[in-house]
Amino acid sequence: MEITREIHMQQKTARRLILFPLPLQGHITPMLQLASILYTKGFSITIIHTQFNPPNPSNYPHFTFHSIPDGLLESEANTSDVIRLLTLMNVNCITPFRDCLAKLLADVSKDPVACLITDAMWHFTQSVAEILKIPRIVLRTSSVCSFLAFVALPHLLEKNLSIQEEPVQELPPLKVKDLPMITTRNSEDLYQLLSLAVKETRASSGFIWNSFEDLEPLALTTCTQKLTIPTFPIGPFHKYFPASSSSLLTQDQSSISWLNTQAPKSVIYVSFGSIAALNEAQFLEIAWGLANSNQPFLWVVRPGLVRGSEWLEPLPNGFLENLNGRGHIVKWAPQEKVLAHHATGGFWTHNGWNSTLESICEGVPMICQPFFGDQMVNARYVSHVWKVGVHLENKIERMEIARAIRRLMVEADGKEKEMRERIEHLKEKVDDCLSQGGSSYQSLENLTSYLLSF
Ligand code: UDX
């Protein structure tokens, strides 16, 4: 769907929204996409951002950007322990954020502010909003089903569940091993962060989801019942626009020129997102699994993906050369374009929510390789609820990898064929929900009216 400038002009509302993204790729992207969607609805947009992982203002000439200090030491400004990072920032940013917001609210030369929109993980912003008497709306950038698992997690942890293959009664079809755990040096930090994020979301004025009704109908109903605040599932955000430009890393366009040389639906695209890390042994199993599959592959090896290595040093000498052009490795790809490319036939993914949605929107079936947190839940839903992917549940092992790739890409028996049909069907549902009268379209209309009511 395209929201035209014409609609924007018709609905020019002269109200300003202040948005505060969490400075991680998988969170910045949807928040800036949301900002662009709301801009087309006539709102003017101000972004407050941290010094850590700042967005590039030149990609958004219509927005106003304000940077605040995040107080992170050089040794703290990285994603090796995300929970620690978020815990620190939720403390360090209180004063600079409050001062910045107070100044923006006092600026009478600009359009009056309708409300503040922040990532759910910025829990401290709820009390700042209350002090400054401005409504706060929450954007949750993950799936609704994984949010419900996060809500249940503190209670489940008290039950001391230890049998990994056991089903979690409260959250079907999740097993204990799918619970959205995140390794951190102090497990109390995880518990605190999640509890506060949920508590302050409950206290907020509304909830925006980068998801859509037809994908998560039950989870959305449960969530609305549990939180009793207005809920707006308006996703998938990235389908409102051509491929987005909020990438923190430079996207290597050779991905596309290489894909142009490959046969339709022949390439397995491999990427594990912006945070997940591997040890050297796992990395080598993946490399040999790809090589042994005999299928063409496009592999994103982000600098830092392999712990203790700069980039590709662990690969045996001549690894790529020996594949005679069957493999292409980049540091970062233009992922949306890669998934939309006719040569891409499968996505071996960590199931971050953005990647999962992007794959669904392009009708590309997945091989699921979740690492932590919400990825575990998304992977279970992809393989067992939407049934549009296969789950690699065991240790990363080259023979199993090669088999999974060949089954998905080449042998495609009844099960795989059905998977492709199902994801094509979901892709059609995406088009339906975004077109006039569709559920996300209507939800965006409701959100616009709601924002104007403040
Ligand atoms: C993180 C968490 O890991 C994830 O579980 C959570 O849902 C969001 O925050 P990340 O690991 O970055 O996200 O994964 P994901 O949500 O999939 O987002 C990655 C984004 O980077 C996607 O929009 C993808 O298109 C983009 N990307 C990825 C690229 O542009 N190029 C690449 O090479 C890889």
Side-chain angles (χ1 to χ4, degrees):
M1 181 187 72
E2 188 156 275
I3 300 178
T4 61
R5 192 82 188 146
E6 194 185 339
I7 295 175
H8 164 62
M9 296 315 289
Q10 280 168 11
Q11 300 194 344
K12 185 72 189 157
T13 47
R15 299 295 298 277
R16 190 157 41 122
L17 300 171
I18 300 178
L19 290 83
F20 186 34
L22 201 72
L24 301 174
Q25 182 72 73
H27 293 249
I28 291 178
T29 298
M31 184 63 93
L32 287 168
Q33 286 164 344
L34 174 65
S36 298
I37 294 167
L38 294 172
Y39 175 76
T40 65
K41 286 290 182 187
F43 294 95
S44 55
I45 301 292
T46 298
I47 307 283
I48 302 179
H49 64 85
T50 55
Q51 287 166 338
F52 174 61
N53 276 351
N56 182 354
S58 64
N59 290 333
Y60 302 91
H62 306 299
F63 300 173
T64 310
F65 286 82
H66 293 271
S67 172
I68 58 166
D70 45 51
L72 294 174
L73 304 174
E74 212 181 308
S75 59
E76 294 167 341
N78 61 68
T79 56
S80 60
D81 184 340
V82 179
I83 298 305
R84 178 85 192 128
L85 178 75
L86 300 188
T87 302
L88 279 173
M89 286 197 299
N90 265 286
V91 175
N92 294 359
C93 292
I94 298 175
T95 307
F97 178 80
R98 190 191 56 214
D99 293 350
C100 178
L101 184 59
K103 224 187 254 168
L104 291 172
L105 293 174
D107 184 354
V108 288
S109 71
K110 298 256 169 60
D111 296 337
V113 175
C115 82
L116 171 70
I117 303 180
T118 78
D119 194 287
M121 301 316 282
W122 279 134
H123 55 75
F124 81 87
T125 58
Q126 181 60 31
S127 48
V128 174
E130 284 165 16
I131 292 166
L132 297 177
K133 300 196 166 34
I134 177 175
R136 168 183 178 242
I137 305 263
V138 169
L139 168 65
R140 180 65 189 149
T141 56
S142 73
S143 57
V144 187
C145 50
S146 69
F147 177 77
L148 290 176
F150 278 123
V151 172
L153 193 61
H155 158 70
L156 291 171
L157 290 180
E158 279 166 17
K159 286 173 58 175
N160 211 1
L161 302 165
S162 56
I163 305 168
Q164 295 297 305
E165 293 298 329
E166 195 103 308
V168 180
Q169 301 300 343
E170 296 85 342
L171 297 168
L174 298 191
K175 299 179 181 181
V176 169
K177 66 179 183 183
D178 303 326
L179 289 175
M181 295 302 295
I182 305 177
T183 311
T184 176
R185 72 177 185 201
N186 178 2
S187 53
E188 188 56 24
D189 283 350
L190 173 65
Y191 181 88
Q192 276 288 325
L193 188 73
L194 294 182
S195 307
L196 285 168
V198 173
K199 173 173 170 272
E200 301 300 8
T201 297
R202 276 186 211 282
S204 74
S205 302
F207 211 175
I208 300 173
W209 289 106
N210 187 13
S211 189
F212 58 102
E213 288 268 1
D214 271 334
L215 189 63
E216 302 192 89
L218 283 177
L220 272 165
T221 308
T222 311
C223 186
T224 312
Q225 283 163 355
K226 274 188 192 285
L227 268 77
T228 63
I229 53 173
T231 304
F232 305 96
I234 65 168
F237 295 174
H238 72 283
K239 291 307 278 183
Y240 287 79
F241 306 103
S244 72
S245 51
S246 59
S247 191
L248 295 168
L249 298 171
T250 307
Q251 297 177 324
D252 187 335
Q253 299 301 329
S254 74
S255 312
I256 303 300
S257 42
W258 182 82
L259 282 173
N260 288 341
T261 65
Q262 303 300 316
K265 295 209 186 309
S266 66
V267 174
I268 176 91
Y269 168 59
V270 188
S271 169
F272 303 134
S274 65
I275 299 174
L278 301 163
N279 62 36
E280 200 173 307
Q282 292 170 320
F283 178 71
L284 287 174
E285 288 304 306
I286 291 172
W288 286 117
L290 288 169
N292 295 345
S293 76
N294 281 325
Q295 277 303 110
F297 62 87
L298 171 62
W299 185 11
V300 175
V301 180
R302 195 187 78 236
L305 174 69
V306 188
R307 290 187 207 97
S309 293
E310 292 280 320
W311 193 38
L312 299 178
E313 313 84 274
L315 280 185
N317 277 343
F319 175 81
L320 265 185
E321 293 71 12
N322 290 339
L323 294 173
N324 299 321
R326 194 165 55 70
H328 189 63
I329 299 183
V330 293
K331 290 183 173 165
W332 198 244
Q335 182 164 301
E336 287 180 39
K337 286 190 200 148
V338 166
L339 289 169
H341 198 284
H342 60 83
T344 305
F347 183 12
W348 184 10
T349 170
H350 69 312
N351 286 120
W353 187 235
N354 296 290
S355 296
T356 305
L357 266 185
E358 289 161 13
S359 208
I360 289 173
C361 289
E362 299 308 333
V364 179
M366 289 165 255
I367 297 178
C368 305
Q369 182 85 62
F371 286 79
F372 62 85
D374 63 326
Q375 300 161 15
M376 318 302 289
V377 182
N378 298 337
R380 183 64 63 200
Y381 270 71
V382 166
S383 56
H384 285 75
V385 178
W386 305 314
K387 299 189 177 138
V388 293
V390 288
H391 203 323
L392 283 186
E393 303 210 30
N394 303 324
K395 196 166 148 248
I396 297 179
E397 196 274 322
R398 62 187 75 182
M399 295 313 289
E400 197 181 336
I401 293 167
R403 263 197 306 273
I405 295 175
R406 290 201 63 77
R407 258 204 324 270
L408 181 72
M409 308 289 296
V410 194
E411 288 148 18
D413 64 8
K415 213 168 120 215
E416 274 75 19
K417 193 166 156 271
E418 280 171 21
M419 220 160 65
R420 283 192 190 275
E421 284 166 6
R422 270 194 293 269
I423 202 159
E424 276 303 325
H425 183 60
L426 268 185
K427 184 181 170 193
E428 284 164 23
K429 298 248 178 205
V430 171
D431 295 337
D432 292 349
C433 81
L434 292 172
S435 44
Q436 193 160 5
S439 61
S440 293
Y441 177 96
Q442 195 49 52
S443 217
L444 177 59
E445 293 297 300
N446 297 345
L447 173 64
T448 307
S449 313
Y450 188 56
L451 294 175
L452 289 172
S453 73
F454 291 127

